[in-house]
């Protein structure tokens, strides 16, 4: 029977993503603990606190017995953040799905000594309406944006950047971008255009990413196809464009970590962005993020 905590998603890249975020949370909490009165963790796409991992069955051979498929429950981002030492002063979990919120409420009940807020609804609406009403002068926060797909609106990123107090890890859905931004512009219909503009915060993506290809002619020089505009950016070019867009609102955006790290096609880019423009804050955030991304993860070979 399915339990409230059952939340099966992602693959090996999920493991890596959570390892990177956990390392940053640890470094951040140690470094900023004594500098600010209050450190918050905001999980905008919080899930249930757990994730269900299916481990494939293995055939037996001469030496080993066959191993049946097994299902394990591991910590999701919300539980990982709760375990960080020194502890975050407040944890805010936003989640649209009511059943996931029930699981998060249970997590909250099992930690009565912690200041945990579970918000059921659309993270974009919560962030845009409330994040700049907080007095950030003596507070800092780290936010994790871990959507399934293209749910993060540009206005949400702008609202976060305006706080000048929040660092963000953002799992950007690169595969969503290259699917919506089809190779030929004629295949990008009004719905796709709207999604792209909502995600990238401008309709200039068309001019930036597409260029005209000369119409082809037949052997006698007659035109046999109308002029078409094609996307000139490949996957790496799209990722570089997203980084340039983020740099228009955040003072620091680190080179993203590609996920999965080695297998093609790349499906996600894990971006780190800091919103505090002070040179000291940028230097610290950059050193942490770069160190964690560059070192790769112990058991994973460095990408690129
Ligand atoms: C990939 S899962 C997050 C996993 C989580 N970070 C973890 O490690 O356990 C994405 C979650 O975002 C939720 N979600 C999707 N759209 C949302 C929205 N607009 N606002 C808030 N939550 C949303 C989904 O219900 C789902 O639980």
């Amino acid at each position: 029977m399915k339990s409230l905590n059952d939340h099966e998603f992602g693959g090996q890249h999920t493991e890596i993503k959570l390892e990177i975020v956990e390392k940053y949370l640890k470094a951040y909490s140690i470094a900023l603990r004594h500098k600010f009165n209050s450190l918050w963790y905001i999980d905008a796409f919080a899930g249930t606190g757990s994730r269900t991992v299916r481990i494939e069955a293995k055939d037996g051979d001469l030496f080993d017995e066959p191993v049946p498929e097994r299902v394990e429950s591991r910590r999701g981002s919300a539980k990982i953040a709760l375990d960080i030492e020194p502890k975050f002063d407040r944890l805010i979990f936003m989640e649209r799905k009511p059943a996931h919120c029930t699981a998060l409420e249970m997590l909250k009940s099992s930690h009565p000594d912690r200041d945990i807020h579970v918000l059921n609804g659309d993270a974009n609406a919560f962030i845009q309406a409330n994040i700049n009403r907080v007095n950030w002068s003596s507070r800092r926060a780290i936010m994790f944006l871990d959507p399934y797909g293209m749910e993060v609106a540009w206005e949400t990123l702008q609202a976060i950047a305006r706080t000048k107090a929040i660092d963000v890890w953002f799992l950007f859905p690169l595969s969503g971008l290259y699917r919506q931004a089809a190779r030929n512009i004629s295949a990008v219909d009004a719905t796709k255009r709207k999604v792209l503009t909502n995600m990238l915060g401008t309709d200039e993506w068309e001019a930036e990413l597409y260029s005209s290809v000369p119409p082809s002619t037949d052997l006698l020089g007659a035109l046999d196809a109308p002029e078409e505009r094609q996307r000139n950016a490949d996957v790496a070019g799209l990722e570089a464009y997203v980084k340039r867009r983020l740099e228009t609102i955040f003072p620091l955006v680190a080179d993203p970590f590609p996920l999965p790290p080695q297998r093609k096609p790349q499906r996600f880019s894990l971006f780190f962005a800091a919103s505090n423009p002070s040179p000291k804050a940028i230097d610290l955030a950059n050193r942490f993020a770069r160190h964690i991304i560059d070192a790769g993860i112990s058991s994973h070979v460095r990408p690129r």
Side-chain angles (χ1 to χ4, degrees):
M1 198 178 71
K2 237 173 149 33
S3 93
L4 275 172
N5 281 325
D6 268 347
H7 187 205
E8 207 175 325
F9 62 92
Q12 188 222 12
H13 70 265
T14 301
E15 211 69 47
I16 303 175
K17 162 187 84 178
L18 291 175
E19 237 178 287
I20 290 179
V21 172
E22 181 171 14
K23 282 194 173 172
Y24 190 84
L25 293 181
K26 280 183 183 157
Y28 177 93
S29 162
I30 291 169
L32 298 195
R33 178 71 285 161
H34 300 295
K35 295 200 172 91
F36 293 94
N37 289 346
S38 188
L39 289 186
W40 293 7
Y41 170 77
I42 306 171
D43 204 327
F45 295 81
T48 61
S50 305
R51 57 202 178 89
T52 307
V53 180
R54 218 165 270 281
I55 297 157
E56 272 178 31
K58 267 206 227 139
D59 290 338
D61 57 26
L62 264 181
F63 307 103
D64 293 313
E65 292 287 313
V67 182
E69 181 188 79
R70 55 180 214 284
V71 174
E72 272 182 14
S73 175
R74 296 194 188 156
R75 292 179 313 155
S77 52
K79 268 193 189 158
I80 288 174
L82 264 168
D83 287 346
I84 295 293
E85 294 286 349
K87 291 182 172 44
F88 283 101
D89 299 292
R90 174 172 290 188
L91 298 106
I92 301 175
F93 301 143
M94 301 174 186
E95 173 54 56
R96 193 168 59 184
K97 206 170 165 184
H100 288 184
C101 282
T102 307
L104 292 167
E105 289 289 356
M106 283 162 59
L107 186 62
K108 175 178 164 165
S109 311
S110 60
H111 293 78
D113 54 327
R114 304 293 300 273
D115 181 12
I116 300 174
H117 298 248
V118 179
L119 307 179
N120 183 195
D122 174 23
N124 289 294
F126 284 134
I127 293 169
Q128 290 175 35
N130 298 306
I131 207 79
N132 282 287
R133 294 165 67 183
V134 173
N135 176 358
W136 289 109
S137 55
S138 59
R139 299 194 171 101
R140 289 294 176 268
I142 178 100
M143 187 183 294
F144 187 26
L145 296 172
D146 185 21
Y148 287 136
M150 302 165 76
E151 292 95 339
V152 178
W154 187 256
E155 287 77 11
T156 300
L157 299 171
Q158 284 177 313
I160 298 166
R162 269 200 303 279
T163 64
K164 296 185 171 28
I166 301 182
D167 289 351
V168 190
W169 284 94
F170 176 20
L171 187 74
F172 184 87
L174 203 59
S175 58
L177 176 56
Y178 54 71
R179 257 186 256 123
Q180 301 294 320
R183 184 55 74 180
N184 290 330
I185 196 74
S186 54
V188 185
D189 61 18
T191 310
K192 289 186 165 150
R193 280 174 184 276
K194 199 167 159 207
V195 171
L196 287 167
T197 300
N198 182 48
M199 179 169 56
L200 296 167
T202 175
D203 55 11
E204 285 167 12
W205 51 265
E206 182 174 346
E208 293 273 346
L209 301 175
Y210 287 80
S211 50
S212 298
V213 282
S216 59
T217 50
D218 65 18
L219 281 177
L220 300 172
L223 289 180
D224 65 0
E227 186 181 290
E228 174 65 296
R229 284 169 67 74
Q230 279 190 352
R231 169 155 59 76
N232 45 39
D234 58 8
V235 172
L238 289 175
E239 184 182 64
Y241 179 64
V242 174
K243 181 166 188 271
R244 290 202 298 282
R245 287 297 305 147
L246 292 172
E247 283 167 343
T248 64
I249 52 173
F250 288 101
L252 169 72
V253 181
D255 284 340
F257 191 94
L259 290 168
Q262 287 167 314
R263 213 167 353 102
K264 301 275 180 220
Q266 181 180 338
R267 292 175 50 211
F268 300 96
S269 303
L270 183 59
F271 277 101
F272 172 80
S275 64
N276 185 339
S278 102
K280 256 170 99 177
I282 290 206
D283 179 56
L284 185 71
N286 196 25
R287 274 190 287 129
F288 282 166
R290 275 262 56 90
H291 175 73
I292 290 164
I293 293 173
D294 276 357
I297 303 296
S298 48
S299 49
H300 314 292
V301 183
R302 255 208 97 211
R304 293 174 185 164

